Amino acid sequence: MPSKGQSRSKGGEEAKVPLQAVVLADSFTHRFRPITLERPKTLLPLANVPMIEYTLEFLASNGVEEVFIFCCAHADQLTQYIENSAWSSTAGFVVHTIVSTNCISAGEALRLIDHKHVIRSDFILISGDTVANMDLRRALEAHRERRKTERLAIMTCCFKTITRRQREEHLGESNLVVAMDPATGRVLHYDEQASPSLPDANASPKRAKAKLSPLSLDASLFSEHPSVRVRTDLQDCHVDICAPEVLMLFTDNFDYQHLRRDFVCGTLNERELGNNIYAHELGAREYATRITNLRTYDAVSRDVIGRWVYPVCPDVNCLPRGDPTAFTHRWPQTYLEKGADVDPSAVVGAGCVVGAGCVVGPGAKISRSVLGRGVVVGAGASIDGSYVMQNAKIGANASVTSALVCEGAVVHESAVIGKGAIIAYDVVVGAGHVVADYSRISLAPQPAHDDDVDSDDELEIGSFGGGGGARLSDPSRQMARSDSKGSFGGGGGFDEDDDEGPGGVYLTDLDRALLQRAKEGTAGDATTERWAPEGVGVGGAGHAWAPRWGEEEWRFGIAPVPPGSSDAAYARDDALDSDDDDAHVRSGAKPAAVGGGDGSNSGTDSDGEGEALESHFRKEVAETFLRCVKHGYEQANAVVELQGLKMAENRTFADIARYVLMTILGLSLPAPRDVTKENSKLYPAKAPDNTPALLKSIRERLKQWAPLLSRFLKSEDDQVEMLLTLEDYCAEDEVFKGMHGALLVPSFAKILHLLYDMDVLSEVSVLAWAEEKGLAGEEDKRFLKLAQPFVDWLKEADSESDGSGSDSSEASSSDEE
Amino acid sequence: MSVQGVVLACGGERRFGDLVTQDRPRHMLDLGFNPIVWHALQTLEHGGVKDVRLVARGDHAASRFEAWLREGYDGGCDVQVVAAADDADTADALRAAMPTVNPDAQVLAVISGDLVTDVRLSDVLATHVRGGAVATCLLAKRRAWNGVDMKVGRPPKGAHYVGLANDKLLLMADEEDVDKVLKLRRPMLGRVRDLVVHTDLLDAQLYVLDRAQVKTMLDDKPRMTSLQLDVIPALVRRQFRAQPAGSAGPEQAVQSHVTSETSDDGLMEAVFGVANQGAGHGGGTSTPSPPTTQPCCAHLAPDDAYCARVDTVVPALLEVSREIASSQPGDAAHLNGRKMSKYENFVDPSVVIGGKSTIGPGCVVNAGTQFGEKCSVKRSVVGAGCHVGSGVKLVNCVVMNRATIEDGATVQGSVIGPRAVIGAGASLRECLVEAEFEVEEGDDVRSETLRNKSR
């Protein structure tokens, strides 16, 4: 059959498009400073393998055939790395690098990729710092299956189940709430907020975050999804499967910067466009985490060492591709690479990775730490929970706890590195110096805007998603960012710096020589003039950076967070959020209200406010109607206008009809006070002298508009309602004050008759009105008495036509049919 | 555990119009062979609760209930009728019943007098005890005829928002609270990992309540008038109230949090945070502090259970009447209290049926009713002492006691009130004919409420 053949060939064509992936090798944030001032983050080794290797391996093992690596900061280092690595020569796996050094956000990067027209079908969007072993094929299949039936399912985000404590203490991520449809997994709401701060954090009052506002879900969601699952137990893996439309959306919305805050929230908010985002949940054995800060770096390192990401673990020895490591695994989770020289008296405890060429001196204690290749650990040194990179030296009896010591750095004898500290490339810490907890030391001076309160923390974890997709389009913020960019002089991207080797641009030749001596430990106090000894000690080299002002280092530092600290923060936050019962008791909300009512206080409420609203609405109707009269609109157009008003004010047709009638009647009377000058020309200067003249004028008006009225008066109840309003009008009650309605009182019965003749009122409704009024108090019977002759006449007519009544009703019904 | 049953037979009369009179409270309207309130008593009785207070609005209504309990009631409950004020809402009614309840009862099973369900009360009680709850609500999927009005792009009309995490009830809000945006407070979100907010569930208004705590609340908050709108939401909110500074400081709260969460914190920490845990938990693993607030629970009716409230004439009374007569899947003929005939219907032996008349499956015909010849009755409920003429067609109807339907009338999807008269040859479709109304011969009426005007 031709159709079958066609579809098969089509399927074949589709299959020919290679599976593509976009890797963003820049997180566009400052979290990893000062390390990222000198090297790109994606090249930072994790268990002695650069992070991008994990990402590329993950993609390759899931059948991705073509990868576009978007390089921004330190693009040259990255491209060079890729060129020299085995990735550039792997069969069936093509790696392209796209370089743009002036991008400041993921949004810009994706716009650029869109302009290059390289993406041909659904692709994987991932960050270059992702460690994962998840089965991407399963997610892809689900995504493609959905796309077959739902073209606008443009994105599938991967989530992993996790507890809040794991997410915030273990991974250092923010408070994430995702609402989704329980049946389909469609994401309905994405809300990410900064976690509450600790009570004892010495945060500045300015930064101390107010209590978390309640999560706001648009109630109209429930019309499409009768039940909504609100999940606080998810970790966003930042592995997305996107349709090419995603890139187009980024181009269309040129202000989209952040993938989640702008794109996901924006898409979810603009439901009328119909684009949908779905969640894919990882299985229990699947793993995918993006390294967004040092806390995640630590957590993911531990997971890799602990074999939670199997087969991604050190002793598999497949990474880096082409030049793999050579670890052997030893219980308990210790990995030694061939050629590591560990003194027999040294203790290498659980959870350690020791690279080739390491020399661990006698009596040294190493636990839960990663040592890069060629690290030298002196005798009696102790290293716990730390990451010491290639060729760094830890002196004898030095102590390093939960710190990051970068490539080439030297920690001299008996120095103490406090928890959470970052010792950047080639920094030298003088002998015996104590580096405070959470300090950051780099050869590069601290950029002027690094401690800018609002700069990037807000970018990364700032609250968003709550209401209406708050965007970071604040111009002053943008300015601050371009400022900070300019201040490097290097002119590159956001966390980018010099184009030279480590520390190059900051050092003169003299400095270099000095640094060399400092590393050897022979500089003595010669360094104190160049580098302040308060930061690095005598004989040290490097600048101690000012702490991020008010930043909660514990949350994002490499040191493990004390267990329960996030809970403490939440407990405090919750305490601020106490809820008062009395505020919710509706029937007794007002102290003045007497208890034991029927549960509604609308009676007291509506008197003042209700009348004002009603008066406003009456005016609206009158003005709309007068405009139609003034311009001589066709009836049909007037209907459209009034219907629009009905929709806008959320009223019934009867409401419109009532006030239109009053306006029609009013047109035969002097202009009311609240009519605009222009419209007042439509009214006569004074009321007609006698009743017949008045009636004549009313009759003419009514003749014109009766069809409109009967069109709006859908039922007898509506007509009765209108009669009641007419009473109010004539009595100049409530909203009709000062409208000269009293002038109509003498002709009340005549007006009823007129309306009856014009088929605006039916006899049934007039009689119903009369009956209802008959039960009312004497006071209220004033108009009934006026109308009595007419009502009596109707009743007579009614009983006369009783015999033929059924006939006529049948006739009319058959007419309708 | 001693359980006290309370039936709240008050409120909601207005929606029943003329069908409800002084002498016939709305919970005494017939539903099949028994008054509506009989079903609530059955639910209690089957749950093993025999000691029951029935709260009525006003003395007169109370005397009507008493009369029925004396003369007509065939169940095993020991019912004591309590008269509340004439305008009492549900919380007021419970307040009125409080002094009369058994002081030894730990738990109140409060049930709305118009609930018809085959959910076992013992299951709800089990959920209550298992959860250590202060209040447990019965929730059920809405029947098809009781759906929420949904329009794309607008909040659902008349929706009730119920937040559940497994069997914990974490959110109770209605339209009034929500107003376009549903706000979920963080402490609540922090307490659960996975909250599902439903708008497709019906609050069956069967509550199992801790007697002492609810009594305190009713006494403390005299302004709370409604059980479902005030008291239950207040109890639900109270779960998340911050600790009072005196009794337990935040520190202590944190500690209890830590200890309670260690178990589910995953192996990652267990393996790699060993050292850290040992250090951090040295002081924290002391005796776990008792839970400071008791939770609210929800018992979700199983999918095949029947659960509906007769709170309106159309559709509730009409649909429930027919559903408890029907053996169709999803319907509930077993709630009828009688045995189904081999024709899959319930016809009282005293019914007189004329020649060539058929009464189809899913019908109820009560005592003393007479049918003429060539009638056809399908999926309808006909009360006691009715007169149905010849050649009458009844489809999907409820005909109340002593109504008269004259020859050749056709009635579809309608409710015919007591002592109403449908004239010969009249045709009604989807109408509500209230008590004693007389439809003229040969009238053809559709989708209307017919009521005598002398009110």
Side-chain angles (χ1 to χ4, degrees), chain B residues 78-111:
Chain B
D78 178 15
V79 187
Q80 180 185 338
V81 181
V82 178
D86 283 340
D87 59 354
D89 204 339
T90 40
D92 301 323
L94 185 58
R95 211 175 269 129
M98 271 298 180
T100 69
V101 303
N102 177 4
D104 298 330
Q106 294 160 288
V107 165
L108 302 179
V110 180
I111 182 169

Side-chain angles (χ1 to χ4, degrees), chain A residues 84-211:
Chain A
N84 296 340
S85 76
W87 292 110
S88 51
S89 53
T90 306
F93 190 77
V94 187
V95 181
H96 306 279
T97 47
I98 297 176
V99 175
S100 163
T101 48
N102 52 9
C103 267
I104 57 158
S105 72
E108 282 183 19
L110 292 175
R111 278 187 277 279
L112 196 92
I113 290 169
D114 188 31
H115 293 164
K116 289 200 185 290
H117 299 293
V118 289
I119 299 299
R120 282 160 287 172
S121 69
D122 289 12
F123 66 100
I124 293 148
L125 178 59
I126 194 170
S127 177
D129 45 15
T130 306
V131 176
N133 70 354
M134 65 174 280
D135 184 3
L136 199 51
R137 284 167 229 225
R138 193 166 64 92
L140 257 171
E141 206 162 295
H143 175 83
R144 285 181 176 149
E145 204 54 42
R146 245 194 314 269
R147 287 268 287 167
K148 271 184 202 158
T149 52
E150 194 183 344
R151 205 57 203 155
L152 292 173
I154 53 167
M155 191 169 180
T156 301
C157 299
C158 296
F159 292 97
K160 183 166 170 61
T161 317
I162 195 173
T163 65
R164 183 186 77 190
R165 243 185 101 201
Q166 274 178 342
R167 186 178 61 229
E168 293 181 18
E169 294 181 8
H170 191 68
L171 293 177
E173 291 190 350
S174 39
N175 186 335
L176 174 69
V177 182
V178 180
M180 56 175 84
D181 187 295
T184 61
R186 198 169 124 190
V187 178
L188 305 172
H189 188 88
Y190 187 99
D191 176 285
E192 198 173 2
Q193 302 248 337
S195 318
S197 36
L198 254 193
D200 57 355
N202 44 1
S204 74
K206 192 176 154 203
R207 293 261 318 195
K209 298 206 171 69
K211 73 181 178 77

Side-chain angles (χ1 to χ4, degrees), chain B residues 375-421:
Chain B
C375 289
S376 161
V377 182
K378 290 177 183 163
R379 300 183 298 280
S380 295
V381 175
V382 183
C386 294
H387 286 271
V388 180
S390 296
V392 169
K393 274 191 181 169
L394 295 175
V395 183
N396 293 337
C397 288
V398 169
V399 180
M400 296 194 179
N401 296 350
R402 280 181 281 156
T404 305
I405 300 174
E406 293 174 358
D407 294 354
T410 305
V411 185
Q412 292 187 2
S414 300
V415 175
I416 312 295
R419 293 184 299 285
V421 179

Side-chain angles (χ1 to χ4, degrees), chain B residues 30-364:
Chain B
D30 280 341
L31 197 65
F33 295 108
N34 293 291
I36 296 172
V37 74
W38 177 82
H39 292 269
L41 292 172
Q42 285 299 104
T43 304
L44 289 174
E45 189 184 339
H46 290 158
V49 179
K50 299 281 170 69
D51 184 15
V52 177
R53 304 289 172 271
L54 193 154
V55 192
R57 258 188 187 178
D59 294 329
H60 190 77
S63 69
R64 300 313 303 167
F65 281 109
E66 271 166 351
W68 170 71
L69 288 166
R70 257 195 326 271
E71 290 151 20
Y73 178 55
D74 58 354
C77 286
D78 178 15
V79 187
Q80 180 185 338
V81 181
V82 178
D86 283 340
D87 59 354
D89 204 339
T90 40
D92 301 323
L94 185 58
R95 211 175 269 129
M98 271 298 180
T100 69
V101 303
N102 177 4
D104 298 330
Q106 294 160 288
V107 165
L108 302 179
V110 180
I111 182 169
S112 170
D114 56 10
L115 177 65
V116 179
T117 185
D118 58 2
V119 176
R120 295 194 305 181
L121 177 63
S122 50
D123 291 350
V124 186
L125 285 166
T127 304
H128 182 81
V129 173
R130 196 173 52 228
V134 63
T136 302
C137 304
L138 172 64
L139 301 172
K141 282 259 179 293
R142 284 171 177 270
R143 310 287 304 174
W145 45 265
N146 196 19
V148 175
D149 183 15
M150 309 226 197
K151 261 190 200 140
V152 171
R154 296 225 190 123
K157 231 179 211 170
H160 208 82
Y161 299 83
V162 180
L164 293 180
N166 296 323
D167 63 348
K168 294 286 182 291
L169 180 62
L170 298 158
L171 171 77
M172 268 268 192
D174 61 11
E175 237 179 336
E176 207 177 308
D177 301 316
V178 169
D179 188 32
K180 289 184 186 152
V181 175
L182 174 66
K183 294 207 164 160
L184 301 175
R185 291 168 56 254
R186 302 277 170 178
M188 175 183 74
L189 291 175
R191 180 172 283 223
V192 288
R193 299 170 174 192
D194 190 354
L195 171 81
V196 183
V197 180
H198 296 270
T199 51
D200 51 353
L201 292 180
L202 168 81
D203 177 7
Q205 300 201 3
L206 186 160
Y207 308 111
V208 177
L209 304 170
D210 182 284
R211 187 184 67 87
Q213 292 200 40
V214 170
K215 184 175 187 311
T216 316
M217 177 165 241
L218 287 173
D219 292 347
D220 288 352
K221 313 268 179 193
R223 291 209 301 268
M224 289 188 173
T225 59
S226 162
L227 196 56
Q228 66 274 19
L229 296 179
D230 298 332
V231 178
I232 299 291
L235 287 171
V236 169
R237 281 194 304 273
R238 195 171 270 194
Q239 299 175 83
F240 313 107
R241 181 181 280 178
Q243 306 305 310
S247 63
E251 282 306 307
Q252 202 178 327
V254 172
Q255 296 257 303
S256 71
H257 233 90
V258 172
T259 45
S260 64
E261 277 194 21
T262 355
S263 54
D264 55 30
D265 227 353
L267 282 164
M268 295 195 193
E269 221 148 324
V271 176
F272 292 103
V274 193
N276 147 40
Q277 286 224 328
H281 272 260
T285 46
S286 54
T287 52
S289 57
T292 39
T293 48
Q294 283 179 282
C296 290
C297 286
H299 182 82
L300 205 55
D303 282 341
D304 58 348
Y306 185 86
C307 194
R309 286 187 56 223
V310 189
D311 51 358
T312 55
V313 181
V314 180
L317 180 69
L318 178 62
E319 300 290 341
V320 176
S321 295
R322 297 193 306 107
E323 280 169 351
I324 63 165
S326 151
S327 57
Q328 297 292 315
D331 290 344
H334 57 288
L335 288 174
N336 210 316
R338 295 212 185 177
K339 234 181 138 190
M340 188 179 271
S341 72
K342 62 180 175 182
Y343 306 108
E344 300 197 333
N345 58 16
F346 303 86
V347 179
D348 194 272
S350 62
V351 171
V352 179
I353 303 173
K356 292 186 180 170
S357 284
T358 53
I359 297 183
C363 287
V364 166

Side-chain angles (χ1 to χ4, degrees), chain A residues 579-690:
Chain A
D579 196 17
D580 191 12
D581 276 341
D582 286 329
H584 287 269
V585 180
R586 39 197 97 203
S587 40
K590 293 195 192 73
V594 185
D598 59 351
S600 76
N601 52 9
S602 56
T604 49
D605 235 340
S606 58
D607 272 4
E609 203 180 337
E611 192 173 313
L613 277 177
E614 200 61 32
S615 182
H616 169 78
F617 174 65
R618 179 193 60 72
K619 233 173 117 180
E620 287 280 323
V621 175
E623 272 169 23
T624 310
F625 181 71
L626 288 175
R627 198 166 63 237
C628 298
V629 172
K630 195 168 67 189
H631 299 300
Y633 279 178
E634 290 287 316
Q635 190 118 335
N637 290 346
V639 168
V640 171
E641 290 262 339
L642 290 166
Q643 269 175 348
L645 185 64
K646 170 199 172 269
M647 299 291 180
E649 300 270 329
N650 194 14
R651 293 300 187 116
T652 61
F653 282 114
D655 287 334
I656 302 276
R658 279 155 51 201
Y659 291 122
V660 167
L661 176 67
M662 300 317 138
T663 317
I664 293 172
L665 295 177
L667 279 173
S668 304
L669 302 170
R673 273 173 299 169
D674 57 355
V675 159
T676 57
K677 220 178 207 173
E678 250 177 89
N679 283 341
S680 67
K681 286 177 203 152
L682 295 168
Y683 290 84
K686 63 183 186 66
D689 299 330
N690 47 19

